[in-house]
Amino acid sequence: MVNSPIKIRAKKYVGIYLAIILFIISFGLGALVGRAWHVRKQITNENGDVQIAKVLSLNRATNRAGVEFNQFWEVWDKIKAKYVKQPVKDVDMFYGAMQGLVMALGDPYSLYLPPQAAEDFAKDLSGELEGIGAEIGVKDNQLVVVAPLPDSPAEKAGLRPGDKILYIDKESTFGLDVVAAVGKIRGQAGTKVILTITRNGLTKSMEVEITRAKINVPSILFSIKPNNIAYLRVMQFNDATTGQFAKYIKQMRSKKVSGMILDLRNNPGGYLDSAVEMASEWIEQGVVVSEKGVDGLSNNHSTVGRHALAEMRTVVLINKGSASASEIVAGALQDNKKAILIGEKTFGKGSVQDFETFPDGSALKLTVAEWFTPQGRNINKEGVAPDIEIKEDWEKEKIGEDIVLEKALELFSSSTFKW
C-alpha cells in the first residue's frame, strides 16, 4: 500500500550494519561514525554478524549536547527489569525505538519499516499482496482510504476514496501510523476484517466487513472506446508501468486512434521515475516536475524519451483518490496544456520520499523534498484542480455508469470544444 512518489536506493557502506549505525547516529554517538571499523569490531561476533547485546553495551554515557540521552537507557533498563511480560526482546525494542524516532517528525509519509513491513511494502510496489486491496493514508491526522483498487475486496465491499477509518476490528485507529494500520488490515486471503468508517453525507459511522484476498494489481488497463478513442487506466506507478505504457503506445499507433483518455482516478502513486517517464511522452521540452529539499534548491526532472504523444488529443480523469505520482503527471500535462483534466480535485500529496534499504531487510522511507509543477505550483495538501469539474455521485449513479468517462468521450465528438 503505497502513497508516495518514491526514489529507491540502497546505502552501500561495505561491511557495516547500517540499521545499527543509524541508531548510533540518531541517539548521539556520532563521534563513533568516523571510526566505523572500530565500531564494527565492538558490535559484531567472529562471523561478522551484529549482536544487539553488544550494541547495548557500548558506552551509554555519550550524549548529544542538550539531550539527556541517559533517560533513554534508563527507560530501556526499567522495561527490561520491570515489564510484567518477560522476556522482552531487544530486537523488538530496537525496531520500536527506530519507528518512534521517525514518527517524532510528525510526517505521516516518513516511516521506518522493520524487515517484514519493508518486505510487504516492496510487494505492494510489485503489484502482489494479500489483503483488502486499498491504499491507506493519513490526512489531517486521520487514517483515510486514499483509493480502493478496482475489483478489489475493498471496492466490492463499498469502500470509497476519502472514507475515514475509525476502528479496525473494533480497535481505535487513533494515533496509528500507516504501517501499523496496514499491518492490522492486511492478512491471509480468506480471512475477514471489519472496518468502522465514516464519510461525508453519513449521519453516523458504519461497519464494513471485508474478506481479504490475494491481489495482483496490473499496472495499466487498456481498451478502445467508441470513435476509436484509446482508454488507459493507470493503477499505480511501479516497475512495470513504463514498459506497459510503451507497449500500449505502439498499439495506439497501429490502430491510429483519434484521441486518448488517461484515467488516473484512485491511483495512489508509486515511483517518481515512472511518473516522469509517462508525462514525458507528451512534454517535448522543459521540466516535468521539480523538487525542493532541505537546502531550498530546486532539483529539476526534465522530460526524457521520444515524446510519442506530443500531438495526441488527451483527456485526463482525476479524483480525490489520485495522489502523489499521479498528481505529478496530471499537473505536468495541465501546465503544459497537453491535456484537459476532468473530475475532482486530487488528494494533495506533494512530497517526495527517499526509500533506503538496510542489510537486515529494514528500510527508511523519509520525506526529503516537496515537489512543484512546471509552473511552480506546490500541490502538497492543495491538490490539482480539474479544468472541468464533475463530482462523482456514488449514490445516484447506476451500476456500470461512469459519468466522468462519458463526459470525456463527449469532448472528442463535440464540435464546439476547441483543443
Side-chain angles (χ1 to χ4, degrees):
M1 299 181 182
V2 124
N3 57 0
S4 315
I6 296 164
K7 301 187 296 182
I8 292 191
R9 61 188 173 90
K11 274 199 172 183
K12 298 177 181 178
Y13 290 166
V14 178
I16 302 175
Y17 188 84
L18 292 188
I20 300 298
I21 296 301
L22 178 58
F23 179 83
I24 293 170
I25 295 172
S26 301
F27 288 99
L29 303 182
L32 295 178
V33 175
R35 295 179 286 133
W37 178 251
H38 177 65
V39 172
R40 184 188 173 197
K41 289 180 66 177
Q42 292 185 67
I43 64 177
T44 56
N45 60 19
E46 61 274 9
N47 297 321
D49 298 322
V50 171
Q51 302 293 294
I52 292 289
K54 289 188 177 183
V55 176
L56 303 182
S57 67
L58 290 174
N59 185 359
R60 297 182 173 188
T62 305
N63 293 313
R64 179 175 297 177
V67 177
E68 292 295 332
F69 191 65
N70 282 338
Q71 185 177 344
F72 174 85
W73 292 117
E74 184 177 353
V75 172
W76 180 288
D77 291 339
K78 287 184 182 297
I79 292 172
K80 295 282 290 182
K82 295 184 177 181
Y83 182 61
V84 64
K85 295 181 180 179
Q86 297 287 345
V88 178
K89 295 182 179 179
D90 286 342
V91 170
D92 291 343
M93 292 176 64
F94 170 73
Y95 285 137
M98 297 289 281
Q99 289 175 302
L101 177 67
V102 180
M103 284 179 63
L105 299 174
D107 175 14
Y109 304 113
S110 292
L111 302 166
Y112 176 80
L113 306 173
Q116 185 59 55
E119 181 181 344
D120 292 340
F121 182 82
K123 287 180 180 178
D124 289 353
L125 287 177
S126 71
E128 298 179 3
L129 56 96
E130 287 189 25
I132 67 171
E135 175 68 20
I136 305 300
V138 174
K139 193 166 189 178
D140 298 328
N141 298 317
Q142 173 65 56
L143 195 68
V144 298
V145 176
V146 176
L149 299 174
D151 297 322
S152 65
E155 185 182 66
K156 292 175 181 177
L159 286 189
R160 305 175 188 173
D163 284 349
K164 299 177 178 65
I165 303 174
L166 306 179
Y167 295 90
I168 303 171
D169 285 332
K170 313 236 181 242
E171 292 185 15
S172 173
T173 62
F174 180 78
L176 276 186
D177 63 23
V178 173
V179 172
V182 168
K184 291 177 180 293
I185 295 172
R186 175 175 282 147
Q188 187 175 358
T191 60
K192 297 181 184 295
V193 62
I194 297 175
L195 303 183
T196 304
I197 67 164
T198 184
R199 67 169 63 117
N200 293 337
L202 288 180
T203 57
K204 61 180 181 179
S205 62
M206 61 181 288
E207 290 186 350
V208 180
E209 183 179 273
I210 308 172
T211 300
R212 302 177 178 101
K214 186 172 182 178
I215 300 166
N216 195 339
V217 184
S219 181
I220 301 177
L221 301 177
F222 174 78
S223 63
I224 300 294
K225 297 297 182 183
N227 298 320
N228 204 27
I229 302 299
Y231 172 80
L232 286 90
R233 181 166 187 175
V234 184
M235 314 297 286
Q236 60 179 322
F237 291 87
N238 59 22
D239 285 327
T241 304
T242 298
Q244 289 187 21
F245 192 49
K247 178 182 72 173
Y248 292 133
I249 288 176
K250 290 181 180 180
Q251 292 188 32
M252 287 190 288
R253 282 179 170 175
S254 67
K255 296 178 183 296
K256 297 181 179 179
V257 300
S258 58
M260 173 183 172
I261 295 173
L262 183 69
D263 194 343
L264 298 177
R265 291 176 296 177
N266 299 337
N267 181 317
Y271 292 151
L272 174 65
D273 289 348
S274 296
V276 171
E277 289 162 358
M278 178 175 288
S280 294
E281 293 294 354
W282 284 269
I283 300 172
E284 297 172 275
Q285 60 183 0
V287 174
V288 173
V289 65
S290 62
E291 302 173 32
K292 289 185 180 179
V294 65
D295 57 7
L297 301 178
S298 293
N299 176 26
N300 295 332
H301 296 267
S302 298
T303 184
V304 296
R306 302 176 65 179
H307 324 302
L309 303 174
E311 302 300 324
M312 179 67 68
R313 294 191 302 165
T314 304
V315 174
V316 177
L317 311 185
I318 55 174
N319 67 1
K320 57 188 176 183
S322 306
S324 187
S326 58
E327 293 176 286
I328 288 176
V329 174
L333 297 188
Q334 187 179 54
D335 279 6
N336 281 277
K337 302 187 185 305
K338 290 293 185 179
I340 304 299
L341 273 54
I342 297 180
E344 300 175 290
K345 182 182 286 188
T346 59
F347 185 80
K349 196 278 177 182
S351 58
V352 178
Q353 278 66 50
D354 199 26
F355 189 75
E356 303 180 30
T357 57
F358 301 111
D360 66 335
S362 65
L364 176 66
K365 187 161 77 79
L366 186 67
T367 298
V368 295
E370 290 185 320
W371 62 265
F372 295 76
T373 69
Q375 292 186 7
R377 292 183 292 160
N378 186 339
I379 308 305
N380 205 27
K381 297 185 180 180
E382 294 301 320
V384 177
D387 299 302
I388 301 174
E389 184 177 29
I390 301 178
K391 291 189 176 293
E392 298 170 325
D393 193 331
W394 295 71
E395 301 298 336
K396 294 181 180 179
E397 288 183 34
K398 300 176 182 177
I399 295 176
E401 184 180 22
D402 190 335
I403 60 174
V404 179
L405 177 57
E406 290 174 2
K407 178 63 177 178
L409 290 169
E410 288 176 8
L411 288 182
F412 290 103
S413 58
S414 173
S415 60
T416 58
F417 187 79
K418 294 183 180 180
W419 292 91

